[in-house]
Amino acid sequence: MAPVARALQKGRLVKLERARGFTLIEMMIVVVIIGVLATLAIVGYRKLVTNSHVSEATNMVQNIRAAQEGYHSETMQYANISTSVVNGPFYPTPASGVWNARQVTAWGATCTNCQPNMDWSMLPLHPDGPVMFGYATTGGPANTAPSDPTITVDGTKLQVPNPSTTDWYEIGATCDLDGDGQAPDTHVYAISWTNQVYVDSAGQ
């Protein structure tokens, strides 16, 4: 074969090698990597959204705590607005009757299921906007049993004195954050015997 022909043939081989694309295995590896990164991004986003929802409840529970202390300083008793902070009734009640991440409800409506002669308007609460969680608070004098002597947070029972040696209050919030319509829901609690705020079943 003439030298010119060999050079032309060699040039064609170099061009063919340079034009070679990705193999199927390489494409599959890229797809798997993209899938893993997308999954991590979705999980991180959901966690971020859940944390933002729970922060509404923790902030409101702290606001209710401050309002209860203000009410006590004026009346020498805590407001006993709800019947239970575990089982409700919770306020404000959405039109669907379900507290979940797909619906928010304006604060300030008349409380139709509060204790007799009690209403949320008695506490100076001014949320920045509609709320996603439902809220409840109970209270009572010293030497009485709390409305919820057993409050469980992620399988652990809170230390609630029964009867209480001091005036007491309990605060609860609930929301079906995952929107599955099934228990457990996410709960946030505060009690007068400690300054902690407890989150139960976060994101559920």
Side-chain angles (χ1 to χ4, degrees):
M1 183 179 293
V4 175
R6 289 196 190 97
L8 289 173
Q9 188 176 14
K10 187 177 180 181
R12 292 193 190 97
L13 290 174
V14 171
K15 288 180 181 179
L16 288 174
E17 289 178 0
R18 288 178 180 172
R20 185 178 69 87
F22 294 106
T23 64
L24 181 59
I25 293 177
E26 290 172 335
M27 290 295 293
M28 290 176 64
I29 291 173
V30 171
V31 170
V32 169
I33 292 174
I34 293 175
V36 170
L37 293 176
T39 301
L40 292 175
I42 292 172
V43 171
Y45 175 74
R46 287 179 177 172
K47 186 175 182 179
L48 180 64
V49 171
T50 298
N51 288 341
S52 68
H53 292 337
V54 173
S55 67
E56 176 217 294
T58 55
N59 289 336
M60 275 296 295
V61 165
Q62 291 285 36
N63 290 339
I64 295 171
R65 183 200 296 273
Q68 280 280 33
E69 293 296 348
Y71 184 85
H72 187 272
S73 65
E74 292 181 3
T75 65
M76 303 306 295
Q77 61 182 349
Y78 289 115
N80 188 35
I81 296 176
S82 311
T83 56
S84 169
V85 300
V86 175
N87 302 312
F90 296 97
Y91 173 90
T93 305
S96 64
V98 178
W99 293 266
N100 61 53
R102 298 181 180 89
Q103 184 172 359
V104 293
T105 308
W107 191 275
T110 302
C111 182
T112 59
N113 51 12
C114 288
Q115 294 271 39
N117 302 318
M118 301 295 288
D119 193 272
W120 280 93
S121 60
M122 302 171 68
L123 298 178
L125 294 170
H126 307 286
D128 295 332
V131 293
M132 187 177 300
F133 279 70
Y135 298 90
T137 185
T138 59
N143 300 317
T144 61
S147 58
D148 294 283
T150 301
I151 298 177
T152 304
V153 176
D154 291 334
T156 302
K157 293 182 179 180
L158 301 185
Q159 296 297 320
V160 178
N162 185 17
S164 175
T165 57
T166 60
D167 293 352
W168 58 269
Y169 65 79
E170 296 176 319
I171 304 167
T174 186
C175 185
D176 182 14
L177 287 182
D178 59 9
D180 63 356
Q182 299 178 357
D185 295 336
T186 299
H187 298 277
V188 179
Y189 297 110
I191 53 180
S192 58
W193 302 278
T194 175
N195 291 326
Q196 285 186 271
V197 174
Y198 303 90
V199 180
D200 176 50
S201 303
Q204 297 187 10

